[in-house]
Amino acid sequence: MDENSEAIEAILRGEEESSKIKNDDEYGWKTVSYQKRNNRKQSTKPPPEAFSDPQKVSHDVFQSIEQQSEDRRRRLLEAQREAAVAAGGGGEAKLDGEDDGEDNGENVGGAEEVKKVKAKKPKKPKVTVAEAAARIDDSDLSDFLADITVSYESQQDILLMRFADYFGRAFASVGASQFPWAKTLKESTVAKMIDIPLSHISEAIYKTSTDWLNNRSFEALGSFVLWSMDSILADLAIHHGAAKGSKKVVQQSSTKSQVAIFVVLAMTLRRKPDVLISLLPIIKENPKYQGQDKLPVTIWVITQACQGDLVVGLFMWVHYLLPMLSSKSSCNPQSRDLILQLVERILSTPKASRILVNGAVRKGERIVPPSALELLVRATFPAPSARVKATERFEAVYPTLKAIALAGSTGSKGMKQTTQQILQFAVKAAGEGVADLSREASTIFIWCLTQNLDCYKQWDDLYLDNLEASVVVLRKLAAEWKEQSLNHFSLEPVKVALTSFKKKNEKALATEEDATRLASFKEAQKHCNVLLGRLSSSHGCMKGMVLVSVALAVGAAAVVSQNMQSSELKKVLVDFDFLNLMS
């Protein structure tokens, strides 16, 4: 390299001298120089004749440099090919420090590094849920279930896990992009999410699976449902972590296919929906299953149970989802819409009203208990300023839900307890001063009186503390007495209660100083007098009807038997309490 440098420098000097003598801008280098300085340098420089052919010298020098560069490039290419063959891949690698084949300098110590080229992995073919489901063979599934049933007959938990593993292998080739369940549930209506993903499962596979599930123990199925829900919620947590973007979330590869988990859980809930009710205490108390982000999963789970038993679906809605609607902090408009969609879907099912009213009491527990009825009443009849878009939707479903809440056997022990509980909240709602709410609450209050005569005693105890509500009820009874009197089994408890109210009113009118309460007592006294008067007239009419009936009965008896003694006739009258009526 030193010899080459000296030769290049000599060429440049020769070109400089040539340009000074010829003053030719077309060849050589153009330089600016001072004559005195050049004269001093000429004594030490060789004569120009020594470089009579500069083009030849320049050509030889650069040819040598280019030859070295070409040799180095050739050696590099050979080394790259050998490295690529050893790594099992093809392609060419670039030398560190090179750019487009030009040598930018030599590495320290002459060492040159070659980058390894990674071989591209072949892409796996995408498999849809429908394609994977179509490959499941019913006979193979039947044989598999028969084999594991024999092998693990006494180990129900293992049986169910093996059942899930079978579908896990069947759907293992379905990628997350082909089953974006979290996004699908979040964006779907209740009507669309019901058949996810069972719409792809054939009837034969579904029947074989559900028949087998029907023979599994109730406890094992409960544990299996919880395990399946936990798997889904764990995957949901990964989705939410990745969506937040605050930190990079590394998704661990799961051995469980999410498609399979949804499939086996849906089949279990449809075949054994009662399992979900048994898990309700756990779901309500464990924060793992709570939160608006998990609501679409909860809705999907309940819809699967609805497909098996409509009563179970409504039970879960009333006991778990309805309380969310009354909480402003835990229910936004989107969540409220989804919850109402579910109950609308349940009630729109053919013959839903008859099915739900007949199943109003399930294993001693009411589907719509008094506490739930109170929530429904307040949501359906709010103050005018508190009405929201969802109020109209409550008004649409309220009549059916109210009928379910009030259904039961009149006079039964359970019905007596229910009416007393309902009356307790109805008397408060009737006195709150909201017109629509008072009207509906007073209607429910009077219904309690007709179903359970003991409610009159309860009303008597609540009378003074709930004066405004009592006035509303008395006013309604007075206005509708003709219809309401027909709904009472006996009018005697009504008379006793009104007499007690009248005495309390008279006492309060003599001592009460508050003008508002004084006016309420006066109105209550007026309605009591009207009702007692109507009861007296009704009693007189009843006595007249009884006398006519007795006369007809006695006449008929006389015709039938002329030998009946007066003592015997008197005995008949006593047995039917006719003598007291005639007095």
Side-chain angles (χ1 to χ4, degrees):
M1 290 299 291
D2 293 337
E3 295 177 358
N4 292 338
S5 300
E6 291 176 358
I8 293 171
E9 189 175 349
I11 292 171
L12 294 177
R13 290 198 193 96
E15 289 178 347
E16 182 182 332
E17 293 296 331
S18 177
S19 65
K20 185 178 67 174
I21 295 171
K22 296 180 180 181
N23 195 21
D24 188 355
D25 296 334
E26 204 170 3
Y27 300 95
W29 296 80
K30 182 178 179 179
T31 60
V32 179
S33 59
Y34 296 96
Q35 186 175 3
K36 292 182 179 180
R37 184 183 300 174
N38 290 334
N39 290 336
R40 286 195 298 269
K41 291 181 179 179
Q42 285 177 1
S43 61
T44 59
K45 291 179 181 178
E49 289 78 5
F51 302 95
S52 59
D53 193 2
Q55 294 296 330
K56 182 178 180 181
V57 175
S58 176
H59 175 73
D60 293 338
V61 171
F62 285 101
Q63 185 178 16
S64 174
I65 295 172
E66 291 174 357
Q67 185 65 36
Q68 292 180 14
S69 177
E70 189 66 24
D71 292 342
R72 183 162 52 254
R73 178 181 295 279
R74 180 175 50 78
R75 290 194 300 272
L76 266 175
L77 290 175
E78 291 176 356
Q80 289 172 355
R81 291 191 186 97
E82 292 175 0
V85 171
E92 294 183 1
K94 288 185 179 181
L95 180 65
D96 288 343
E98 286 189 354
D99 185 17
D100 298 331
E102 294 181 2
D103 186 12
N104 295 331
E106 296 184 359
N107 294 336
V108 178
E112 296 176 350
E113 296 181 358
V114 180
K115 293 183 179 179
K116 294 183 180 180
V117 179
K118 294 183 178 179
K120 293 182 178 180
K121 296 181 180 179
K123 293 183 178 180
K124 295 182 180 179
K126 294 182 179 180
V127 180
T128 64
V129 177
E131 291 171 346
R135 297 173 186 171
I136 303 176
D137 182 69
D138 181 50
S139 59
D140 181 70
L141 174 61
S142 299
D143 294 341
F144 173 80
L145 294 177
D147 290 342
I148 64 172
T149 303
V150 173
S151 301
Y152 305 100
E153 185 176 4
S154 61
Q155 298 171 294
Q156 296 284 312
D157 293 340
I158 296 178
L159 268 178
L160 291 167
M161 294 304 294
R162 293 298 307 276
F163 172 69
D165 287 342
Y166 180 90
F167 285 93
R169 291 191 298 272
F171 291 102
S173 57
V174 179
S177 62
Q178 297 300 310
F179 187 63
W181 68 267
K183 181 175 182 292
T184 302
L185 292 185
K186 185 177 181 180
E187 298 176 356
S188 297
T189 61
V190 171
K192 291 183 178 180
M193 71 168 59
I194 289 176
D195 293 326
I196 298 174
L198 283 188
S199 58
H200 302 293
I201 302 298
S202 68
E203 288 292 334
I205 298 298
Y206 178 81
K207 186 177 186 306
T208 299
S209 301
T210 53
D211 288 347
W212 183 82
L213 287 168
N214 190 43
N215 296 321
R216 308 284 70 82
S217 69
F218 194 82
E219 294 75 13
L221 289 172
S223 300
F224 183 64
V225 168
L226 278 182
W227 172 83
S228 302
M229 290 179 64
D230 290 347
S231 299
I232 292 172
L233 294 177
D235 192 57
L236 180 66
I238 295 175
H239 282 81
H240 286 170
K244 289 179 181 178
S246 58
K247 294 182 180 180
K248 186 175 180 181
V249 178
V250 179
Q251 183 171 352
Q252 300 295 332
S253 60
S254 176
T255 58
K256 300 185 291 293
S257 167
Q258 289 303 316
V259 185
I261 299 299
F262 274 89
V263 167
V264 297
L265 178 57
M267 290 191 292
T268 303
L269 291 172
R270 292 187 180 205
R271 192 65 184 88
K272 290 287 188 179
D274 284 347
V275 170
L276 194 58
I277 293 181
S278 69
L279 300 177
L280 182 59
I282 298 175
I283 295 174
K284 290 177 69 174
E285 294 173 5
N286 195 327
K288 182 198 307 184
Y289 306 102
Q290 299 169 11
Q292 295 187 36
D293 57 329
K294 296 155 189 166
L295 184 61
V297 176
T298 304
I299 296 287
W300 178 86
V301 168
I302 296 176
T303 60
Q304 303 311 306
C306 284
Q307 297 303 104
D309 190 338
L310 210 59
V311 174
V312 172
L314 184 61
F315 186 96
M316 292 296 297
W317 185 88
V318 169
H319 289 259
Y320 186 63
L321 298 178
L322 178 59
M324 294 183 186
L325 293 176
S326 61
S327 174
K328 295 181 179 180
S329 60
S330 62
C331 191
N332 55 33
Q334 292 77 17
S335 299
R336 185 183 299 111
D337 174 64
L338 201 59
I339 294 172
L340 287 173
Q341 278 188 52
L342 177 57
V343 72
E344 290 165 350
R345 174 77 182 183
I346 293 172
L347 299 182
S348 65
T349 305
K351 301 180 180 179
S353 179
R354 180 177 61 83
I355 294 171
L356 295 171
V357 169
N358 291 338
V361 181
R362 189 180 187 87
K363 297 180 180 179
E365 190 170 4
R366 301 191 67 85
I367 298 179
V368 184
S371 58
L373 179 60
E374 181 179 5
L375 294 177
L376 289 168
V377 169
R378 294 186 179 280
T380 309
F381 303 97
S385 60
R387 288 182 66 88
V388 293
K389 291 182 178 180
T391 303
E392 293 183 0
R393 297 172 71 179
F394 274 110
E395 290 172 347
V397 301
Y398 175 76
T400 303
L401 295 175
K402 175 185 175 182
I404 298 169
L406 302 183
S409 300
T410 303
S412 65
K413 183 178 179 180
M415 196 61 178
K416 287 183 177 180
Q417 294 177 349
T418 300
T419 52
Q420 290 174 348
Q421 293 173 0
I422 293 176
L423 187 139
Q424 193 72 34
F425 83 77
V427 71
K428 294 179 180 178
E432 291 182 4
V434 179
D436 292 340
L437 180 61
S438 296
R439 189 180 304 112
E440 179 62 20
S442 62
T443 300
I444 296 175
F445 188 99
I446 294 174
W447 175 86
C448 294
L449 298 176
T450 62
Q451 297 298 305
N452 181 8
L453 297 179
D454 292 338
C455 287
Y456 279 100
K457 296 179 181 179
Q458 184 181 3
W459 185 12
D460 192 17
D461 295 336
L462 299 170
Y463 182 80
L464 292 177
D465 292 335
N466 298 273
L467 180 61
E468 293 299 327
S470 296
V471 171
V472 172
V473 175
L474 288 169
R475 185 189 304 133
K476 188 175 182 66
L477 279 173
E480 303 174 1
W481 179 248
K482 186 176 181 179
E483 297 81 11
Q484 296 294 345
S485 61
L486 299 177
N487 298 325
H488 285 72
F489 299 112
S490 174
L491 298 178
E492 188 62 26
V494 183
K495 184 178 180 180
V496 172
L498 291 173
T499 303
S500 176
F501 297 160
K502 188 175 180 180
K503 292 179 180 179
K504 291 178 180 178
N505 294 335
E506 292 172 352
K507 183 178 180 181
L509 289 172
T511 58
E512 183 62 53
E513 296 180 356
D514 184 85
T516 302
R517 285 181 64 84
L518 190 62
S520 297
F521 278 117
K522 287 181 179 180
E523 185 178 357
Q525 187 73 336
K526 181 183 71 173
H527 296 313
C528 287
N529 291 332
V530 169
L531 289 169
L532 285 171
R534 291 178 180 175
L535 280 171
S536 298
S537 61
S538 299
H539 186 65
C541 292
M542 184 177 293
K543 287 170 64 177
M545 292 178 62
V546 168
L547 290 174
V548 171
S549 300
V550 169
L552 292 174
V554 170
V559 172
V560 173
S561 177
Q562 297 292 336
N563 298 324
M564 179 177 286
Q565 300 296 322
S566 61
S567 59
E568 294 177 350
L569 178 59
K570 186 176 181 180
K571 183 176 183 299
V572 172
L573 295 177
V574 171
D575 289 342
F576 287 92
D577 201 22
F578 288 156
L579 293 179
N580 290 334
L581 289 173
M582 290 186 291
S583 60

